[in-house]
Amino acid sequence: MTALRICMVTTFYPPFNLGGDGIAVQRLSRALVQAGHEVTVIHDTDAYNALRRGPPLEAPPEGDDQGVRVIRLRSRLRALAPLLVQQFGRPVSHRTQLRHLLANGGWDVVHFHNVSLMGAPAILAYPSNAVTLYTAHEHWLVCPTHVLWRHRREPCDHRECFRCVLRHHRPPQAWRYTGALQR
């Protein structure tokens, strides 16, 4: 078997993790390392700190997580950075760094996971010579609340996204009304 160079791109990764998607990425990454592949995870600490209660979590040193190389992105904009990403659907403070990492990393595979606060949908089109995958851990690409549960009371069978997202206590995402996802 030929060892592959794999880049995982995700918003959350332990210890900067809410829910199970970051843990799933961590377990997959560690399993791939055990199988002989080289894995790098790129994630954003600002998104986690903006959403958690309490003081910001300080990042452990970048480097190794049981053989997985971890690149933690952080911005001087702190909590404002993920809000801008959420609104515009593209990386704001990390655009240049992400373009460079994805285009020049020498990856065989770039695997996107929960990239809602990494700059999706725009980041999904960033240039790379690698095989590109997207794993939908939830319904975020098609539902701004992530859950397809309209107005917090019934399954969603038709779009009422603007009112629904307000009922879920989330700000409407400007990029969803631009055709960016279709492009």
Side-chain angles (χ1 to χ4, degrees):
M1 174 181 73
T2 303
L4 298 174
R5 295 194 71 233
I6 302 167
C7 178
M8 304 286 193
V9 183
T10 185
T11 299
F12 303 111
Y13 190 80
F16 298 88
N17 185 64
L18 301 167
D21 56 330
I23 293 168
V25 172
Q26 184 181 55
R27 289 180 179 168
L28 175 59
S29 297
R30 288 175 175 176
L32 288 166
V33 166
Q34 287 179 349
H37 302 290
E38 182 182 324
V39 180
T40 298
V41 173
I42 303 170
H43 80 99
D44 189 334
T45 62
D46 294 326
Y48 172 80
N49 282 324
L51 295 172
R52 77 183 291 260
R53 291 186 171 103
L57 181 64
E58 291 301 316
E62 281 191 6
D64 190 65
D65 173 31
Q66 295 186 19
V68 177
R69 179 177 171 227
V70 179
I71 298 173
R72 292 184 174 90
L73 303 178
R74 43 185 103 59
S75 166
R76 291 183 307 223
L77 299 176
R78 298 196 180 176
L80 182 59
L83 176 62
L84 292 170
V85 168
Q86 190 260 2
Q87 283 299 299
F88 296 115
R90 60 185 58 253
V92 177
S93 60
H94 304 302
R95 179 182 63 244
T96 303
Q97 186 178 10
L98 284 167
R99 276 190 184 276
H100 177 76
L101 286 167
L102 295 177
N104 302 317
W107 312 114
D108 298 305
V109 177
V110 174
H111 191 168
F112 294 102
H113 293 271
N114 173 358
V115 286
S116 61
L117 294 176
M118 290 291 287
I123 193 175
L124 299 173
Y126 273 23
S128 173
N129 292 327
V131 171
T132 302
L133 305 170
Y134 176 78
T135 297
H137 293 266
E138 28 95 294
H139 305 287
W140 173 81
L141 269 178
V142 296
C143 174
T145 69
H146 301 237
V147 295
L148 291 174
W149 197 250
R150 191 175 57 241
H151 303 299
R152 303 184 99 169
R153 66 175 183 256
E154 61 196 10
C156 183
D157 60 2
H158 64 278
R159 291 185 177 271
E160 295 178 8
C161 299
F162 188 81
R163 287 187 7 219
C164 184
V165 78
L166 293 176
R167 175 127 333 138
H168 276 84
H169 307 291
R170 296 176 185 228
Q173 297 170 299
W175 69 266
R176 289 193 184 267
Y177 303 96
T178 66
L181 185 57
Q182 289 76 16
R183 285 191 302 277

